[in-house]
Amino acid sequence: LIHLIQSIAANYENSWANKYPNCGGLQQSPINLDKIERDDNHSVSVRFKDYDVVPDSMKVENKGRTVQVTPTWYTTIPAVVKDGVLYEVQQMHFHWVYNNDEGSEHIFEDRKTVLELHIVHWNPALGDFDGQQGEGILVVGLLYEIGIDDEDYSNFLFNILNYAYNIEEPKSGPVYIKPFGLESLFYYNNSTKFLTYIGSLTTPPCSEGVSWVVLNIPSTVNEYQMDLFQNFELHDGDDHNNRPVQKINGRKLTEVPR
Ligand code: 1SD
Ligand code: ZN
């Protein structure tokens, strides 16, 4: 029985396409960012707007499939402007695994890193966000690798993980944490480029038309923080919440200087 449960957990993403046809589509995420052809003929502009505005509240929940942080701003909502289109921050969440160091979703420079943060944005001109629309969603992806510098202890992950023990169970929370401006996510990150391509949500219904903006250099998480992530339990005893890389099918990536 244990084997059966383990194999169901290990294969949970394989059957998505039966129920959610998009998951078998041609523009899926994540991908191996090394293998996608660079498009040098077109340029893309990416600008972060009001990322320094501190939220009025910040809620953290174990959603069963991930740990999600939902900030609320009463007045100014931070956004990403891509090619003149505004996408406002909705929530952020993480992807990781329990048994090894390959918890990220995207592959870059030949490897998966230990953790990947997604900051999900929505274009409000298209109506209300229901979390499932592909077109109109922009996700900023930030990879984390294990690092040992002291700075780690002052970074935002520490804020989020401070109350981790309250939300270890799947579908638990929320806890409210001390709000921080999202700009601080990038304080110790030396990325020089944004890697942009069109893909999908990495969870069902895998809607396509999602704009991905991935930073080209990982941030760091320390072992202690990563242990706290690995104490969060996922639903159905899942041992990971990261999807394998998907076929590129002729898509191209545009590099944008940061
Ligand atoms: O996995 C998340 C999912 O939880 C939800 O946040 C969705 C947006 O509504 O986005 C996907 S993902 O593609 O950002 N991983
Ligand atoms: Zn995600």
Coordinates of all heavy atoms in Angstrom, one line a residue, residues 44-134:
V44 N 11.4 43.0 -26.3 CA 10.3 43.0 -25.3 C 10.7 44.0 -24.2 O 11.9 44.1 -23.9 CB 10.2 41.6 -24.7 CG1 9.2 41.6 -23.5 CG2 9.7 40.6 -25.8
S45 N 9.8 44.8 -23.7 CA 10.1 45.7 -22.6 C 9.4 45.2 -21.3 O 8.3 44.8 -21.4 CB 9.8 47.1 -22.9 OG 8.4 47.3 -22.8
V46 N 10.2 45.2 -20.2 CA 9.7 44.7 -18.9 C 10.1 45.8 -17.9 O 11.2 46.2 -17.8 CB 10.3 43.4 -18.5 CG1 9.9 43.0 -17.1 CG2 9.9 42.3 -19.5
R47 N 9.1 46.3 -17.2 CA 9.3 47.3 -16.2 C 8.6 47.0 -14.9 O 7.4 46.6 -15.0 CB 8.9 48.7 -16.7 CG 9.2 49.9 -15.8 CD 9.0 51.1 -16.6 NE 7.6 51.4 -17.0 CZ 6.7 51.9 -16.2 NH1 7.0 52.3 -15.0 NH2 5.4 52.1 -16.6
F48 N 9.2 47.0 -13.8 CA 8.6 46.8 -12.5 C 8.1 48.1 -12.0 O 8.8 49.1 -12.0 CB 9.5 46.2 -11.5 CG 9.7 44.7 -11.7 CD1 10.4 44.2 -12.8 CD2 9.2 43.8 -10.8 CE1 10.5 42.8 -13.0 CE2 9.3 42.4 -11.0 CZ 10.0 41.9 -12.1
K49 N 6.8 48.2 -11.5 CA 6.2 49.5 -11.1 C 5.7 49.3 -9.6 O 5.1 48.4 -9.3 CB 5.0 49.7 -12.0 CG 4.3 51.0 -11.8 CD 3.2 51.1 -12.9 CE 2.3 52.3 -12.6 NZ 1.4 52.0 -11.5
D50 N 6.1 50.3 -8.8 CA 5.6 50.4 -7.4 C 5.9 49.1 -6.6 O 5.2 48.8 -5.7 CB 4.1 50.6 -7.4 CG 3.8 52.0 -8.0 OD1 4.5 52.9 -7.8 OD2 2.7 52.0 -8.7
Y51 N 7.0 48.4 -7.0 CA 7.3 47.2 -6.2 C 7.8 47.5 -4.8 O 8.0 46.6 -4.0 CB 8.4 46.4 -7.0 CG 7.8 45.1 -7.5 CD1 6.7 45.1 -8.4 CD2 8.3 43.9 -7.1 CE1 6.2 43.9 -8.9 CE2 7.8 42.7 -7.5 CZ 6.7 42.7 -8.4 OH 6.2 41.5 -8.8
D52 N 8.1 48.8 -4.5 CA 8.5 49.1 -3.2 C 7.4 49.4 -2.2 O 7.6 49.6 -1.0 CB 9.5 50.3 -3.2 CG 8.8 51.5 -3.9 OD1 7.8 51.3 -4.6 OD2 9.2 52.7 -3.6
V53 N 6.2 49.5 -2.7 CA 5.0 49.8 -1.8 C 4.7 48.7 -0.9 O 4.4 47.6 -1.3 CB 3.8 50.2 -2.7 CG1 2.6 50.6 -1.8 CG2 4.1 51.3 -3.6
V54 N 4.8 49.0 0.4 CA 4.6 47.9 1.4 C 3.1 47.6 1.5 O 2.2 48.5 1.5 CB 5.1 48.4 2.8 CG1 4.8 47.4 3.9 CG2 6.6 48.7 2.7
P55 N 2.7 46.3 1.4 CA 1.3 45.9 1.5 C 0.7 46.3 2.8 O 1.3 46.5 3.8 CB 1.3 44.4 1.4 CG 2.7 44.0 0.9 CD 3.6 45.1 1.3
D56 N -0.7 46.5 2.8 CA -1.4 46.8 4.0 C -1.6 45.5 4.9 O -1.7 45.6 6.1 CB -2.7 47.4 3.7 CG -2.5 48.8 3.0 OD1 -2.1 49.7 3.8 OD2 -2.7 48.9 1.8
S57 N -1.6 44.4 4.2 CA -1.6 43.1 5.0 C -1.0 42.1 4.1 O -0.8 42.2 2.9 CB -3.0 42.7 5.4 OG -3.7 42.2 4.3
M58 N -0.6 41.0 4.8 CA 0.1 39.9 4.1 C -0.3 38.6 4.7 O 0.0 38.4 5.9 CB 1.6 40.1 4.1 CG 2.3 39.7 2.9 SD 4.0 40.4 2.9 CE 4.4 40.3 1.2
K59 N -1.0 37.8 4.0 CA -1.6 36.5 4.5 C -0.8 35.4 3.9 O -0.4 35.4 2.8 CB -3.0 36.5 3.9 CG -3.8 35.3 4.2 CD -5.3 35.6 3.8 CE -5.6 35.2 2.3 NZ -7.0 35.3 2.0
V60 N -0.5 34.4 4.8 CA 0.2 33.2 4.3 C -0.6 31.9 4.6 O -1.1 31.8 5.7 CB 1.6 33.0 5.0 CG1 2.4 31.9 4.4 CG2 2.4 34.3 4.8
E61 N -0.8 31.1 3.6 CA -1.6 29.9 3.8 C -0.9 28.6 3.2 O -0.3 28.8 2.2 CB -2.9 30.0 3.0 CG -3.9 31.1 3.4 CD -4.8 31.4 2.2 OE1 -4.4 32.1 1.3 OE2 -6.0 30.9 2.3
N62 N -1.1 27.5 3.8 CA -0.8 26.2 3.2 C -2.0 25.8 2.4 O -3.0 25.4 3.0 CB -0.4 25.2 4.3 CG 0.0 23.9 3.6 OD1 -0.4 23.5 2.5 ND2 0.8 23.1 4.4
K63 N -1.9 25.9 1.1 CA -3.1 25.6 0.2 C -3.2 24.2 -0.1 O -4.1 23.8 -0.9 CB -3.0 26.4 -1.1 CG -2.9 27.9 -0.9 CD -4.2 28.7 -0.8 CE -4.8 29.0 -2.1 NZ -6.0 29.8 -2.0
G64 N -2.3 23.3 0.4 CA -2.4 21.9 0.0 C -1.5 21.6 -1.2 O -0.8 20.6 -1.2
R65 N -1.6 22.5 -2.2 CA -0.7 22.3 -3.3 C 0.6 23.1 -3.3 O 1.6 22.9 -3.9 CB -1.4 22.5 -4.6 CG -0.7 22.1 -5.8 CD -1.5 21.6 -7.0 NE -1.7 20.2 -7.0 CZ -2.6 19.5 -7.8 NH1 -3.4 20.2 -8.5 NH2 -2.6 18.2 -7.7
T66 N 0.5 24.2 -2.4 CA 1.7 25.1 -2.3 C 1.5 25.9 -1.0 O 0.4 25.9 -0.4 CB 1.8 26.0 -3.5 OG1 3.0 26.8 -3.4 CG2 0.7 27.0 -3.7
V67 N 2.5 26.7 -0.7 CA 2.3 27.7 0.3 C 2.2 29.0 -0.4 O 3.1 29.4 -1.2 CB 3.5 27.7 1.3 CG1 3.5 29.0 2.2 CG2 3.5 26.5 2.2
Q68 N 1.1 29.7 -0.1 CA 0.8 31.0 -0.9 C 0.8 32.2 0.0 O 0.3 32.1 1.2 CB -0.6 30.8 -1.5 CG -0.9 32.1 -2.4 CD -2.2 31.8 -3.2 OE1 -2.3 30.8 -3.9 NE2 -3.1 32.8 -3.1
V69 N 1.4 33.2 -0.5 CA 1.5 34.5 0.2 C 0.6 35.5 -0.5 O 0.8 35.7 -1.8 CB 2.9 35.1 0.3 CG1 3.0 36.4 1.0 CG2 3.9 34.1 0.9
T70 N -0.4 36.1 0.1 CA -1.3 37.0 -0.6 C -1.3 38.4 0.1 O -1.8 38.5 1.2 CB -2.8 36.5 -0.5 OG1 -2.8 35.1 -0.8 CG2 -3.7 37.3 -1.4
P71 N -0.6 39.3 -0.6 CA -0.5 40.7 -0.1 C -1.8 41.4 -0.5 O -2.3 41.1 -1.5 CB 0.7 41.3 -0.7 CG 1.2 40.2 -1.7 CD 0.2 39.1 -1.8
T72 N -2.1 42.4 0.3 CA -3.2 43.3 -0.1 C -2.7 44.8 0.0 O -2.1 45.1 1.0 CB -4.4 43.2 0.8 OG1 -4.8 41.8 0.9 CG2 -5.6 44.0 0.4
W73 N -3.0 45.5 -1.0 CA -2.7 47.0 -1.0 C -4.0 47.7 -1.2 O -4.8 47.4 -2.1 CB -1.8 47.3 -2.2 CG -0.4 46.8 -2.1 CD1 0.7 47.4 -1.6 CD2 0.0 45.5 -2.7 NE1 1.8 46.6 -1.8 CE2 1.4 45.4 -2.4 CE3 -0.6 44.4 -3.3 CZ2 2.2 44.3 -2.7 CZ3 0.2 43.3 -3.7 CH2 1.5 43.3 -3.4
Y74 N -4.3 48.7 -0.3 CA -5.6 49.4 -0.4 C -5.5 50.4 -1.5 O -6.5 50.7 -2.2 CB -5.9 50.1 0.9 CG -6.2 49.1 2.0 CD1 -5.7 49.3 3.3 CD2 -6.9 47.9 1.8 CE1 -5.9 48.4 4.3 CE2 -7.1 47.0 2.8 CZ -6.6 47.3 4.0 OH -6.8 46.4 5.1
T75 N -4.3 51.0 -1.8 CA -4.3 52.1 -2.8 C -3.5 51.7 -4.0 O -4.0 51.4 -5.1 CB -3.8 53.4 -2.2 OG1 -2.6 53.1 -1.4 CG2 -4.8 54.0 -1.3
T76 N -2.1 51.6 -3.9 CA -1.3 51.4 -5.0 C -0.9 49.9 -5.1 O -0.3 49.4 -4.2 CB 0.0 52.2 -4.9 OG1 -0.4 53.6 -4.6 CG2 0.8 52.2 -6.1
I77 N -1.3 49.3 -6.2 CA -0.9 47.8 -6.4 C 0.3 47.7 -7.2 O 0.3 48.2 -8.4 CB -2.1 47.1 -7.0 CG1 -3.4 47.2 -6.1 CG2 -1.7 45.6 -7.2 CD1 -4.6 46.6 -6.7
P78 N 1.4 47.1 -6.7 CA 2.6 46.9 -7.6 C 2.2 46.1 -8.8 O 1.3 45.3 -8.8 CB 3.5 46.1 -6.7 CG 3.0 46.3 -5.3 CD 1.5 46.5 -5.4
A79 N 3.0 46.3 -9.9 CA 2.7 45.7 -11.1 C 4.0 45.5 -12.0 O 5.0 46.1 -11.7 CB 1.7 46.6 -11.9
V80 N 3.8 44.7 -13.0 CA 4.8 44.6 -14.0 C 4.2 45.1 -15.3 O 3.0 44.8 -15.6 CB 5.3 43.1 -14.2 CG1 6.1 43.0 -15.5 CG2 6.1 42.7 -13.0
V81 N 4.9 46.0 -16.0 CA 4.4 46.5 -17.3 C 5.3 45.8 -18.4 O 6.5 46.0 -18.5 CB 4.5 48.0 -17.4 CG1 3.9 48.5 -18.7 CG2 3.9 48.7 -16.2
K82 N 4.6 45.0 -19.2 CA 5.3 44.3 -20.3 C 4.8 44.7 -21.6 O 3.5 44.6 -21.8 CB 5.1 42.8 -20.1 CG 5.9 42.0 -21.2 CD 5.5 40.5 -21.2 CE 5.9 39.9 -22.6 NZ 5.0 38.8 -23.0
D83 N 5.6 45.3 -22.4 CA 5.2 45.8 -23.7 C 4.0 46.8 -23.5 O 3.0 46.7 -24.3 CB 4.9 44.7 -24.7 CG 6.2 44.0 -25.2 OD1 7.3 44.6 -25.0 OD2 6.1 42.9 -25.6
G84 N 4.0 47.6 -22.5 CA 3.0 48.6 -22.3 C 1.7 48.0 -21.6 O 0.8 48.8 -21.3
V85 N 1.6 46.7 -21.4 CA 0.4 46.1 -20.8 C 0.7 45.9 -19.3 O 1.8 45.4 -18.9 CB 0.1 44.8 -21.4 CG1 -1.2 44.2 -20.7 CG2 -0.1 44.9 -22.9
L86 N -0.2 46.4 -18.4 CA -0.1 46.4 -17.0 C -0.6 45.1 -16.4 O -1.7 44.7 -16.7 CB -0.8 47.6 -16.4 CG -0.8 47.7 -14.9 CD1 0.3 48.6 -14.5 CD2 -2.1 48.3 -14.4
Y87 N 0.2 44.4 -15.5 CA -0.2 43.2 -14.8 C 0.0 43.4 -13.3 O 1.2 43.7 -12.9 CB 0.7 42.0 -15.3 CG 0.6 41.7 -16.8 CD1 1.4 42.4 -17.7 CD2 -0.3 40.7 -17.2 CE1 1.3 42.0 -19.1 CE2 -0.4 40.4 -18.6 CZ 0.4 41.1 -19.5 OH 0.4 40.7 -20.8
E88 N -1.0 43.4 -12.6 CA -0.9 43.7 -11.1 C -0.7 42.4 -10.3 O -1.2 41.3 -10.6 CB -2.3 44.3 -10.6 CG -2.5 45.7 -11.2 CD -3.8 46.3 -10.8 OE1 -4.7 45.5 -10.3 OE2 -4.0 47.5 -10.9
V89 N 0.1 42.6 -9.2 CA 0.4 41.4 -8.3 C -0.9 40.9 -7.7 O -1.7 41.6 -7.2 CB 1.4 41.8 -7.2 CG1 1.6 40.7 -6.2 CG2 2.7 42.3 -7.8
Q90 N -1.0 39.6 -7.7 CA -2.2 38.9 -7.1 C -1.7 38.1 -5.9 O -2.3 38.1 -4.8 CB -2.9 37.9 -8.1 CG -3.3 38.6 -9.3 CD -4.4 39.6 -9.1 OE1 -5.3 39.3 -8.3 NE2 -4.4 40.7 -9.7
Q91 N -0.7 37.3 -6.1 CA -0.3 36.4 -5.0 C 1.1 35.8 -5.4 O 1.5 36.0 -6.5 CB -1.3 35.2 -4.8 CG -1.7 34.5 -6.1 CD -1.0 33.2 -6.4 OE1 0.2 33.0 -6.0 NE2 -1.6 32.3 -7.2
M92 N 1.8 35.2 -4.4 CA 3.0 34.5 -4.7 C 3.0 33.2 -4.0 O 2.3 33.0 -3.0 CB 4.2 35.3 -4.4 CG 4.1 36.2 -3.2 SD 5.4 37.4 -3.2 CE 5.5 37.8 -1.5
H93 N 3.7 32.2 -4.6 CA 3.8 30.9 -4.0 C 5.1 30.2 -4.4 O 5.8 30.7 -5.2 CB 2.5 30.1 -4.5 CG 2.5 29.9 -5.9 ND1 1.9 30.8 -6.8 CD2 3.2 29.0 -6.8 CE1 2.1 30.4 -8.0 NE2 2.9 29.4 -8.0
F94 N 5.3 29.0 -3.9 CA 6.6 28.3 -4.0 C 6.4 26.9 -4.6 O 5.4 26.3 -4.4 CB 7.3 28.2 -2.7 CG 7.6 29.6 -2.1 CD1 6.7 30.2 -1.3 CD2 8.8 30.2 -2.3 CE1 6.9 31.4 -0.7 CE2 9.1 31.4 -1.8 CZ 8.2 32.1 -1.0
H95 N 7.5 26.4 -5.2 CA 7.6 25.0 -5.7 C 8.9 24.4 -5.1 O 9.9 25.1 -5.2 CB 7.6 25.0 -7.2 CG 6.3 25.5 -7.8 ND1 5.2 24.8 -8.1 CD2 6.0 26.8 -8.1 CE1 4.3 25.5 -8.6 NE2 4.7 26.8 -8.7
W96 N 8.8 23.2 -4.6 CA 9.9 22.5 -4.0 C 9.7 21.0 -4.0 O 8.6 20.6 -4.4 CB 10.2 23.0 -2.6 CG 9.2 22.6 -1.6 CD1 9.1 21.5 -0.9 CD2 7.9 23.3 -1.3 NE1 8.0 21.5 -0.1 CE2 7.3 22.6 -0.3 CE3 7.4 24.5 -1.7 CZ2 6.0 23.0 0.2 CZ3 6.1 24.9 -1.2 CH2 5.5 24.1 -0.2
V97 N 10.7 20.3 -3.6 CA 10.5 18.8 -3.5 C 11.1 18.4 -2.1 O 11.8 19.2 -1.5 CB 11.2 18.0 -4.5 CG1 10.7 18.3 -5.9 CG2 12.7 18.1 -4.5
Y98 N 10.8 17.2 -1.7 CA 11.2 16.7 -0.3 C 12.5 15.9 -0.3 O 13.2 15.9 0.7 CB 10.1 16.0 0.3 CG 8.9 16.9 0.7 CD1 7.9 17.2 -0.2 CD2 9.0 17.6 1.9 CE1 6.9 18.1 0.1 CE2 8.0 18.5 2.2 CZ 7.0 18.7 1.3 OH 6.0 19.6 1.6
N99 N 12.8 15.2 -1.4 CA 13.8 14.2 -1.4 C 15.1 14.6 -2.0 O 16.1 13.9 -1.8 CB 13.4 12.9 -2.1 CG 12.0 12.5 -1.6 OD1 11.7 12.6 -0.5 ND2 11.2 12.0 -2.5
N100 N 15.2 15.7 -2.7 CA 16.4 16.1 -3.3 C 16.5 17.6 -3.5 O 15.7 18.3 -2.9 CB 16.6 15.4 -4.6 CG 15.5 15.7 -5.6 OD1 15.1 16.9 -5.8 ND2 15.0 14.7 -6.3
D101 N 17.5 18.1 -4.2 CA 17.7 19.5 -4.3 C 17.1 20.1 -5.6 O 17.4 21.2 -6.0 CB 19.2 19.8 -4.3 CG 19.7 19.7 -2.9 OD1 18.9 19.7 -1.9 OD2 20.9 19.7 -2.7
E102 N 16.2 19.3 -6.3 CA 15.8 19.7 -7.6 C 14.3 20.2 -7.6 O 13.5 19.6 -8.3 CB 16.0 18.6 -8.6 CG 17.5 18.3 -8.7 CD 17.8 17.1 -9.5 OE1 16.9 16.5 -10.1 OE2 19.0 16.8 -9.6
G103 N 14.0 21.1 -6.7 CA 12.7 21.6 -6.5 C 12.1 22.6 -7.4 O 10.9 22.9 -7.4
S104 N 13.0 23.3 -8.2 CA 12.4 24.4 -9.0 C 11.6 23.7 -10.2 O 11.7 22.5 -10.4 CB 13.6 25.2 -9.6 OG 14.4 24.5 -10.5
E105 N 10.9 24.6 -10.9 CA 10.2 24.1 -12.1 C 11.0 24.3 -13.3 O 11.2 23.4 -14.1 CB 8.8 24.8 -12.2 CG 8.0 24.6 -11.0 CD 6.5 24.6 -11.3 OE1 6.0 25.6 -11.6 OE2 5.9 23.5 -11.2
H106 N 11.5 25.5 -13.5 CA 12.4 25.7 -14.7 C 13.8 25.2 -14.5 O 14.3 25.1 -13.4 CB 12.5 27.3 -15.0 CG 11.2 27.8 -15.5 ND1 10.2 28.3 -14.7 CD2 10.7 27.8 -16.8 CE1 9.2 28.7 -15.5 NE2 9.4 28.4 -16.8
I107 N 14.3 24.7 -15.6 CA 15.7 24.4 -15.7 C 16.5 25.5 -16.3 O 16.1 26.1 -17.3 CB 16.0 23.1 -16.5 CG1 15.3 21.9 -15.8 CG2 17.4 22.8 -16.8 CD1 15.5 20.5 -16.5
F108 N 17.6 25.9 -15.7 CA 18.4 27.0 -16.2 C 19.9 26.6 -15.9 O 20.2 26.2 -14.8 CB 18.1 28.3 -15.6 CG 18.8 29.5 -16.2 CD1 18.8 29.7 -17.6 CD2 19.6 30.3 -15.4 CE1 19.5 30.7 -18.2 CE2 20.3 31.4 -16.0 CZ 20.3 31.6 -17.4
E109 N 20.8 26.8 -16.9 CA 22.2 26.4 -16.8 C 22.3 25.0 -16.3 O 23.0 24.7 -15.3 CB 22.9 27.5 -16.0 CG 22.9 28.8 -16.7 CD 23.7 30.0 -16.1 OE1 23.9 29.9 -14.8 OE2 24.0 30.9 -16.8
D110 N 21.5 24.2 -17.0 CA 21.7 22.7 -16.8 C 21.2 22.1 -15.5 O 21.5 21.0 -15.2 CB 23.2 22.4 -16.9 CG 23.4 21.3 -17.9 OD1 22.5 21.0 -18.7 OD2 24.5 20.7 -17.8
R111 N 20.4 22.8 -14.7 CA 19.9 22.2 -13.5 C 18.6 22.8 -13.0 O 18.3 23.9 -13.3 CB 21.0 22.3 -12.4 CG 21.2 23.8 -12.0 CD 22.5 23.9 -11.2 NE 22.6 25.4 -10.9 CZ 22.6 25.9 -9.7 NH1 22.4 25.2 -8.7 NH2 22.7 27.2 -9.6
K112 N 18.0 22.0 -12.2 CA 16.9 22.6 -11.4 C 17.5 23.0 -10.1 O 18.4 22.3 -9.6 CB 15.8 21.5 -11.1 CG 15.0 21.2 -12.3 CD 13.6 20.6 -11.9 CE 12.7 20.5 -13.1 NZ 11.3 20.3 -12.8
T113 N 17.1 24.1 -9.5 CA 17.6 24.6 -8.2 C 16.6 24.1 -7.1 O 15.6 23.4 -7.4 CB 17.8 26.1 -8.1 OG1 16.5 26.7 -8.3 CG2 18.7 26.6 -9.2
V114 N 16.9 24.5 -5.9 CA 16.2 23.8 -4.8 C 14.7 24.4 -4.6 O 13.8 23.7 -4.1 CB 17.0 24.0 -3.5 CG1 17.0 25.5 -3.0 CG2 16.6 23.1 -2.4
L115 N 14.5 25.6 -5.1 CA 13.2 26.2 -4.8 C 12.9 27.3 -5.9 O 13.8 27.8 -6.4 CB 13.3 27.0 -3.4 CG 12.2 27.8 -2.8 CD1 11.1 26.8 -2.4 CD2 12.7 28.6 -1.7
E116 N 11.6 27.4 -6.2 CA 11.2 28.5 -7.2 C 10.0 29.3 -6.6 O 9.1 28.7 -6.2 CB 10.9 27.8 -8.5 CG 10.6 28.9 -9.6 CD 10.6 28.3 -11.0 OE1 11.3 27.3 -11.3 OE2 9.9 28.8 -11.9
L117 N 10.2 30.6 -6.7 CA 9.1 31.5 -6.3 C 8.4 32.0 -7.5 O 9.0 32.3 -8.5 CB 9.7 32.7 -5.5 CG 8.8 33.9 -5.3 CD1 7.7 33.6 -4.3 CD2 9.6 35.2 -4.9
H118 N 7.1 32.0 -7.5 CA 6.3 32.6 -8.5 C 5.5 33.8 -8.0 O 4.7 33.6 -7.0 CB 5.3 31.5 -9.1 CG 6.0 30.5 -9.9 ND1 5.4 29.2 -10.2 CD2 7.2 30.5 -10.5 CE1 6.3 28.6 -10.9 NE2 7.4 29.3 -11.1
I119 N 5.6 34.9 -8.6 CA 4.8 36.1 -8.3 C 3.8 36.2 -9.4 O 4.2 36.5 -10.6 CB 5.6 37.3 -8.2 CG1 6.9 37.1 -7.3 CG2 4.8 38.5 -7.6 CD1 7.8 38.3 -7.2
V120 N 2.5 35.9 -9.1 CA 1.5 35.8 -10.1 C 0.8 37.2 -10.3 O 0.4 37.8 -9.3 CB 0.4 34.8 -9.7 CG1 -0.7 34.7 -10.8 CG2 1.0 33.4 -9.6
H121 N 0.8 37.7 -11.5 CA 0.2 39.0 -11.9 C -1.0 38.8 -12.8 O -1.0 37.8 -13.6 CB 1.2 39.9 -12.6 CG 2.5 40.1 -11.8 ND1 3.4 39.2 -11.5 CD2 3.0 41.3 -11.3 CE1 4.4 39.7 -10.8 NE2 4.2 41.0 -10.7
W122 N -1.9 39.8 -12.8 CA -3.1 39.7 -13.7 C -3.3 41.1 -14.3 O -3.2 42.1 -13.6 CB -4.3 39.3 -12.8 CG -5.6 39.4 -13.5 CD1 -6.6 40.3 -13.1 CD2 -6.1 38.7 -14.6 NE1 -7.7 40.1 -14.0 CE2 -7.4 39.1 -14.9 CE3 -5.5 37.7 -15.4 CZ2 -8.2 38.6 -15.9 CZ3 -6.3 37.2 -16.5 CH2 -7.6 37.6 -16.7
N123 N -3.7 41.1 -15.6 CA -4.1 42.3 -16.3 C -5.5 42.7 -16.0 O -6.5 42.0 -16.5 CB -3.9 42.0 -17.8 CG -4.4 43.2 -18.7 OD1 -4.9 44.2 -18.1 ND2 -4.3 43.0 -20.0
P124 N -5.7 43.7 -15.2 CA -7.1 44.0 -14.7 C -8.0 44.5 -15.8 O -9.3 44.5 -15.6 CB -6.9 45.1 -13.6 CG -5.6 45.7 -14.0 CD -4.7 44.6 -14.7
A125 N -7.4 44.9 -17.0 CA -8.3 45.3 -18.1 C -9.1 44.1 -18.6 O -10.1 44.3 -19.3 CB -7.4 45.9 -19.2
L126 N -8.8 42.9 -18.3 CA -9.5 41.7 -18.8 C -10.6 41.3 -17.8 O -11.2 40.2 -18.0 CB -8.5 40.6 -19.1 CG -7.5 40.9 -20.1 CD1 -6.7 39.6 -20.4 CD2 -8.1 41.4 -21.4
G127 N -10.8 42.0 -16.8 CA -11.9 41.7 -15.8 C -11.4 41.1 -14.5 O -10.2 41.4 -14.2
D128 N -12.2 40.4 -13.8 CA -11.7 39.9 -12.5 C -10.8 38.6 -12.7 O -11.0 37.8 -13.6 CB -12.9 39.5 -11.7 CG -13.7 40.7 -11.1 OD1 -13.1 41.8 -11.1 OD2 -14.9 40.5 -10.8
F129 N -9.9 38.5 -11.8 CA -8.9 37.4 -11.8 C -9.6 36.2 -11.2 O -10.1 36.3 -10.1 CB -7.7 37.8 -11.0 CG -6.7 36.7 -10.9 CD1 -6.0 36.2 -12.0 CD2 -6.2 36.2 -9.7 CE1 -5.0 35.3 -11.9 CE2 -5.2 35.3 -9.6 CZ -4.6 34.8 -10.7
D130 N -9.7 35.0 -11.9 CA -10.2 33.8 -11.3 C -9.1 32.8 -11.1 O -9.4 31.7 -10.6 CB -11.4 33.3 -12.0 CG -11.0 32.7 -13.3 OD1 -9.8 32.5 -13.6 OD2 -11.9 32.3 -14.1
G131 N -7.9 33.1 -11.4 CA -6.8 32.2 -11.1 C -6.6 31.2 -12.2 O -5.7 30.4 -12.1
Q132 N -7.4 31.2 -13.2 CA -7.4 30.1 -14.2 C -7.1 30.6 -15.6 O -6.8 29.8 -16.5 CB -8.7 29.3 -14.2 CG -9.1 28.9 -12.8 CD -9.7 27.6 -12.8 OE1 -10.4 27.2 -13.8 NE2 -9.4 26.8 -11.8
Q133 N -7.4 31.9 -15.8 CA -7.2 32.4 -17.2 C -5.7 32.4 -17.5 O -4.9 32.7 -16.7 CB -7.7 33.9 -17.2 CG -9.1 34.1 -16.7 CD -9.1 34.8 -15.4 OE1 -8.4 34.4 -14.5 NE2 -10.0 35.7 -15.2
G134 N -5.4 32.0 -18.7 CA -4.0 32.1 -19.1 C -3.6 33.4 -19.7 O -2.7 34.1 -19.1

